[in-house]
Amino acid sequence: MPDATTLLSALLDSDRDGYVSGEELAQRLGVSRVSIWARLQKLQNEGLVCTAVRGRGYRLAAEPAVLHPAVLAAYVRLRQHKKAPPGISVIFLPETDSTNLEAERRLAAGASTPFVVFAARQTAGRGRLGRAWHSAEGGGLYLSFAFQPKLPPVRMPKFTLWMALRLCHMLNENYGLPVRVKWPNDLVHEGRKLAGLLTEARIDADLMRDLVCGLGLNVNGDPAKWAGARSATGAAAAKVAGTLQQINGGKPLSINAVAADVVLTGRAAFTDFVAGRTEAEFKELWERYDALRGNVVSVTLLDGTIKGRAAGLDVSGALKIVLSDGSARTVQSGDVSLGGYG
């Protein structure tokens, strides 16, 4: 029986209105037409909708509304063939406590990098400062990249911003979605949070050895319905969250296609980061996608709150703030919200 990923890649890559003849599929996969039919029946039992029309062949009529390992792998394979990026292993779990924790466990066990861990559901998803990340079932992507960069720790602060910028650019270019980056680690649209990133590293002496970058991305669905979720964070998340579907005119996106684009964008972003090919593009992308520039913001720090006008970043990735008295201050970390002078 043919491999599901190979079969789905062939169906997704069709140029004839989505139809591929059974004979062509059999020749491309090196199996019998009976084997093709049997595999398609199995895929339909897994929630995919495949149709057949005499004289035209088979077509993938509908993708799953949730992440499906074989469909995700098929999209990754198609993108790899077209752009030939470096490889990355993709791991899918129905459930885990936290994809960052799972990635860290696999690194500790000696897993080869790079790899990315997806989970359909997290029971203990985490955000910055130890906050819980609401993992709504079905419409979101929850994943963590694992890398071994072997770079000096001084370079780490800009990695999260760099990854956020590349993902933001991909969503703008590939899907026409006007997403922006909110310092230090969010993707937003008109004040609504679409995604958050959490980067953690293991540092040995003066070397950044293991690097895990987690991403929670709200793809489809309505955050207003999260209030009834089992997690106690659902209601709170719904007040500030948004989804890509909402800014796509209410039309759902292929969650598996988005996931594949995230995988390959993240892998390429890391490759460029390690090679030092980031400075010019970082500046260009930040000027294009900065959600705060020119706005009056409040920044909550460990020792209090400051208010001022966001004025971009310094060379280290710190946020520059112009205070009401005209003086300037840079902020290395903190929570930022839009707000006027008090």
Side-chain angles (χ1 to χ4, degrees), residues 174-310:
N174 292 11
Y175 298 92
L177 301 175
V179 179
R180 296 293 180 265
V181 178
K182 175 176 172 286
W183 186 92
N185 69 321
D186 292 340
L187 300 184
V188 299
H189 176 258
E190 295 183 351
R192 289 276 179 171
K193 183 172 179 176
L194 305 169
L197 292 91
L198 176 64
T199 302
E200 300 172 302
R202 187 181 75 178
I203 298 172
D204 294 345
D206 294 326
L207 191 69
M208 183 165 49
R209 186 172 300 278
D210 294 338
L211 184 66
V212 173
C213 182
L215 171 70
L217 174 62
N218 304 327
V219 180
N220 295 321
D222 181 359
K225 298 179 181 179
W226 295 354
R230 285 175 289 178
S231 170
T233 62
K239 295 179 181 179
V240 297
T243 67
L244 299 182
Q245 179 182 352
Q246 288 178 316
I247 61 176
N248 193 42
K251 182 180 179 181
L253 287 82
S254 165
I255 195 168
N256 290 284
V258 173
D261 285 330
V262 166
V263 167
L264 298 179
T265 298
R267 179 64 177 95
F270 174 76
T271 299
D272 290 342
F273 185 80
V274 170
R277 299 190 298 264
T278 63
E279 288 307 313
E281 188 177 356
F282 187 102
K283 182 179 180 181
E284 175 191 348
L285 293 180
W286 188 257
E287 290 177 354
R288 189 186 309 182
Y289 298 123
D290 181 4
L292 297 178
R293 181 181 292 274
N295 288 296
V296 175
V297 299
S298 297
V299 185
T300 302
L301 308 171
L302 294 176
D303 59 352
T305 300
I306 62 172
K307 295 182 180 181
R309 194 171 298 278

Side-chain angles (χ1 to χ4, degrees), residues 315-339:
V315 293
S316 71
L319 180 65
K320 295 188 292 187
I321 302 290
V322 177
L323 306 181
S324 57
D325 62 4
S327 63
R329 180 168 176 179
T330 57
V331 178
Q332 297 289 341
S333 63
D335 284 344
V336 181
S337 59
L338 294 175

Side-chain angles (χ1 to χ4, degrees), residues 158-179:
K158 291 184 76 170
F159 179 77
T160 303
L161 288 169
W162 172 244
M163 183 71 82
L165 284 170
R166 290 289 291 267
L167 291 170
C168 178
H169 184 61
M170 178 273 291
L171 291 171
N172 276 264
E173 293 294 305
N174 292 11
Y175 298 92
L177 301 175
V179 179

